Amino acid sequence: MERTAQHGFTLYELLVTVVIMGIILSLGVPNFLEFTRNNRMAATSNDLLSAFTLARSEAVKRKAPVTVCSSLNAEAANPACGGTFADGWVVFADDSGPTPNVQIDAGEEIIRSMGPVPDGITLQTNGGSNYFSYAATGFGFGNVGGAGPALRGALMCDSRGNVAAAGGLSAARALRMDGPGRPQVVREVALVQNVADLLVGAGCP
């Protein structure tokens, strides 16, 4: 009787393969999760920074006030200011009067809008501030009457907190405004803590 050859893996080979896969996963999954969290944090801070940078340049270009405000419905056809920056934000031409009123009035152009920050990221601002307005000169207006304090600093954190991550930089991010209203994102642990303590008045959860 002619025998048919059997081809396949031995039990020993399968066990070795499973062990190797386990080692690869144990090393790769944490690194992938860290990479994902870093990208999510970087995207959030860059989006917020670009909103203020755009508002400043648009105010100068239009020679009229431009405001960035938080919004609960930023991506709607007719968004309104409200909520917190974690809910989303809108950049708009706040030019219905000689000074901004931090309200999106009829006829005012929406320049850019952004929805909520990703899950797992907290975004806190000084005194719960939910706006910043630029004059036609590109300088910040400061506090607008009736609208509460203007944004001076914002702190963005995830579950890692303000600790050194990739490259020795913080896993958290902070945005701060200088006197004229020029925004800057900082990543060093000490600088993030400085913004948290002196400007925002709160730390990472």
Side-chain angles (χ1 to χ4, degrees):
M1 177 183 294
E2 185 179 339
R3 294 187 178 181
T4 303
Q6 300 291 321
H7 299 283
F9 296 104
T10 65
L11 180 59
Y12 177 76
E13 290 172 330
L14 287 173
L15 287 174
V16 170
T17 301
V18 170
V19 169
I20 293 173
M21 289 179 62
I23 293 172
I24 292 173
L25 288 173
S26 67
L27 296 174
V29 170
N31 289 336
F32 178 74
L33 292 176
E34 186 79 357
F35 176 78
T36 301
R37 288 187 294 191
N38 287 339
N39 277 356
R40 200 159 32 196
M41 183 63 73
T44 300
S45 60
N46 288 340
D47 287 341
L48 189 63
L49 175 64
S50 67
F52 291 104
T53 302
L54 174 65
R56 190 172 188 230
S57 64
E58 284 290 320
V60 173
K61 183 175 75 174
R62 294 165 181 262
K63 296 181 173 54
V66 173
T67 292
V68 184
C69 74
S70 63
S71 176
L72 290 163
N73 62 341
E75 297 176 308
N78 296 296
C81 294
T84 69
F85 275 101
D87 299 312
W89 54 84
V90 177
V91 179
F92 68 100
D94 198 356
D95 56 3
S96 59
T99 60
N101 62 3
V102 194
Q103 295 179 20
I104 305 174
D105 299 313
E108 291 183 330
E109 181 184 351
I110 304 299
I111 300 169
R112 179 181 295 175
S113 59
M114 182 66 64
V117 301
D119 291 338
I121 293 180
T122 61
L123 199 168
Q124 304 173 83
T125 59
N126 55 286
S129 174
N130 58 7
Y131 77 95
F132 193 89
S133 297
Y134 287 97
T137 57
F139 288 87
F141 259 105
N143 297 347
V144 174
L151 186 139
R152 295 175 57 234
L155 178 65
M156 291 153 276
C157 308
D158 59 21
S159 59
R160 296 170 294 176
N162 182 25
V163 297
L169 298 174
S170 179
R173 301 284 191 280
L175 181 142
R176 63 187 181 190
M177 291 287 187
D178 66 9
R182 183 171 53 244
Q184 178 189 17
V185 168
V186 296
R187 296 186 57 191
E188 295 80 1
V189 173
L191 293 179
V192 170
Q193 193 61 50
N194 184 266
V195 173
D197 292 340
L198 301 181
L199 298 181
V200 178
C204 290

